[in-house]
Amino acid sequence: MAMSQQDAREAREAKLDELHERLTGAVERLVSGEDWTRALAFAARFRSRSFANTLLIWSQHLVAFEQGRVPAPAPSLVAGYKQWQSLGRQVGKGQPGYMILAPVTGRFATTTPADAQSWRRLGKGEKPRPGEVVRTKMITAKPAYVWDASQTAGDPIPEPPAPQLLDGEAPAGLWEGLAGQIEDRGFAVRRVPDESAIGGANGMTDYTAKTVVVRENMDPAAQVKTLAHELGHVLLHGPEADQARAHRGIGEVEAESVALMIGAAHGMDTSGYTIPYVSTWAARVEGSDPVEVVKATGERVRKTALAILDRLDTTQVAAGSPPGLDRDVPTRASGPHQQRPIDPAADAQPRAVTIGSVSSGRGL
């Protein structure tokens, strides 16, 4: 018996409610520095996914492990059903997918991008008028599914190159790449002999003098980790960052979290990272739900770290999608009983296109 549109809509809403409840529970468990560190180190290996989808994958895979359906407690590589097929692999019989959030987007156009009220939504197949800027914007979300490599069988999965580091060693080219990004922001990068020159700290960012200073009496890994921390401050916490200034704990969590994700993406040991107690600073943001604060912080950290990593010419660990994946495979979930894959690029930032001679910026 065919399902009516109303039934399908209600089934989808029920799945979204389930996802929201699962995600809220996962975030609520991020109340200790240790859990936050583990979550971000994991997110660094799945950085093509949103922070929310990373937590959803992590929590559902752990349940699958506890039920004996997968051999390891942490996922390795995830992709959609048809995407695995495109790589010559098949999802195993009886292996349920991990439900995640897929964005639903629409196209909007205007000739005056600065006027927020001027944007109009384009219909399906509708072309913009001459001179209009066209941008895609996320409107809502719907459930979609991915599977871990361990839930599939078939052709071998290629092994991408991975960093190999000795204790205390910094990844090749990482200091130079991070320093270049800091200098691109108009800051000078300096080393000082020891912590006495910077008030006992490992590093310091001075927004007035436009300098970033790192002490050099640490091993190379610690120096580059400190530089990544300071780059996090440069990108996130200038004088205009009101929330971070009002709640210093947020600024330190964000900077250290950015450094952690950059280090984890290069195979560096993250066990020595010290993250302030998450529930403490999240609860201090007046008028905000701590769960929402943590979710927003996690996504802000992920986007910042990803922007940094994308500009680095360094060897990095895989980003959570199997090598050789055709990113154009159709990947959406529509019906309540259909488990269709999601494009690994679905969590990417909205793109902007200009029609005619009008320049465009990022999404609405």
Side-chain angles (χ1 to χ4, degrees):
M1 181 177 176
M3 177 174 287
S4 69
Q5 287 188 340
Q6 177 65 23
D7 289 341
R9 183 161 48 250
E10 290 177 356
R12 187 176 71 175
E13 291 300 320
K15 287 189 175 184
L16 288 174
D17 288 344
E18 178 188 341
L19 277 171
H20 177 73
E21 184 176 346
R22 184 185 294 273
L23 178 58
T24 299
V27 176
E28 286 175 342
R29 288 190 289 273
L30 295 181
V31 295
S32 73
E34 180 182 358
D35 286 345
W36 181 255
T37 300
R38 288 175 56 229
L40 286 173
F42 175 77
R45 294 195 298 109
F46 285 79
R47 55 191 179 275
S48 62
R49 306 283 174 183
S50 69
F51 186 66
N53 279 342
T54 297
L55 295 181
L56 289 170
I57 292 168
W58 186 13
S59 63
Q60 290 173 91
H61 186 90
L62 184 58
V63 171
F65 172 72
E66 292 170 347
Q67 294 175 347
R69 292 189 284 107
V70 292
S76 54
L77 302 168
V78 298
Y81 192 91
K82 290 184 179 180
Q83 290 171 327
W84 280 123
Q85 287 182 326
S86 76
L87 296 174
R89 297 183 70 84
Q90 187 67 42
V91 172
K93 186 176 181 180
Q95 285 283 4
Y98 304 149
M99 188 163 52
I100 59 176
L101 293 162
V104 177
T105 60
R107 294 187 308 142
F108 295 80
T110 184
T111 55
T112 53
D115 181 3
Q117 302 301 318
S118 68
W119 292 89
R120 63 185 183 88
R121 186 173 179 180
L122 298 175
K124 186 177 181 180
E126 181 182 357
K127 294 183 179 180
R129 300 161 186 160
E132 284 191 325
V133 173
V134 179
R135 294 177 181 171
T136 58
K137 176 185 177 182
M138 179 175 169
I139 302 167
T140 184
K142 61 183 177 181
Y145 295 85
V146 292
W147 285 259
D148 184 62
S150 63
Q151 297 174 287
T152 70
D155 294 345
I157 301 172
E159 287 287 339
Q164 298 293 326
L165 299 175
L166 301 174
D167 287 345
E169 182 183 17
L174 185 53
W175 174 278
E176 293 78 8
L178 296 174
Q181 292 189 40
I182 292 172
E183 289 165 352
D184 286 346
R185 290 283 177 149
F187 287 72
V189 178
R190 296 192 293 111
R191 284 186 169 105
V192 293
D194 54 54
E195 58 271 32
S196 65
I198 47 177
N202 292 332
M204 185 176 69
T205 296
D206 188 325
Y207 298 101
T208 302
K210 304 284 280 188
T211 59
V212 169
V213 182
V214 175
R215 67 180 177 96
E216 58 186 358
N217 61 333
M218 302 184 288
D219 62 42
Q223 290 186 45
V224 81
K225 175 247 180 176
T226 300
L227 190 65
H229 178 110
E230 301 307 325
L231 176 54
H233 279 311
V234 168
L235 295 177
L236 290 168
H237 306 135
E240 70 285 353
D242 295 335
Q243 190 178 72
R245 289 168 62 85
H247 307 279
R248 184 176 181 275
I250 290 182
E252 289 308 309
V253 166
E254 289 183 341
E256 191 70 353
S257 297
V258 167
L260 188 155
M261 288 195 71
I262 291 171
H266 287 87
M268 298 177 70
D269 180 15
T270 61
S271 61
Y273 284 74
T274 302
I275 306 288
Y277 200 67
V278 173
S279 63
T280 301
W281 56 261
R284 289 177 178 170
V285 182
E286 188 175 350
S288 298
D289 178 1
V291 169
E292 295 303 317
V293 173
V294 169
K295 283 166 59 178
T297 297
E299 184 59 18
R300 189 159 50 246
V301 165
R302 186 195 74 89
K303 287 181 178 179
T304 302
L306 187 61
I308 294 170
L309 291 166
D310 282 348
R311 294 185 59 195
L312 293 173
D313 185 20
T314 53
T315 302
Q316 300 170 19
V317 302
S321 299
L325 187 66
D326 180 358
R327 298 177 75 90
D328 295 325
V329 173
T331 57
R332 288 293 178 263
S334 56
H337 301 297
Q338 297 174 354
Q339 293 196 359
R340 299 182 183 174
I342 182 172
D343 187 339
D347 295 324
Q349 290 298 295
R351 297 181 178 181
V353 180
T354 301
I355 306 298
S357 61
V358 181
S359 63
S360 65
R362 288 197 174 269
L364 285 166

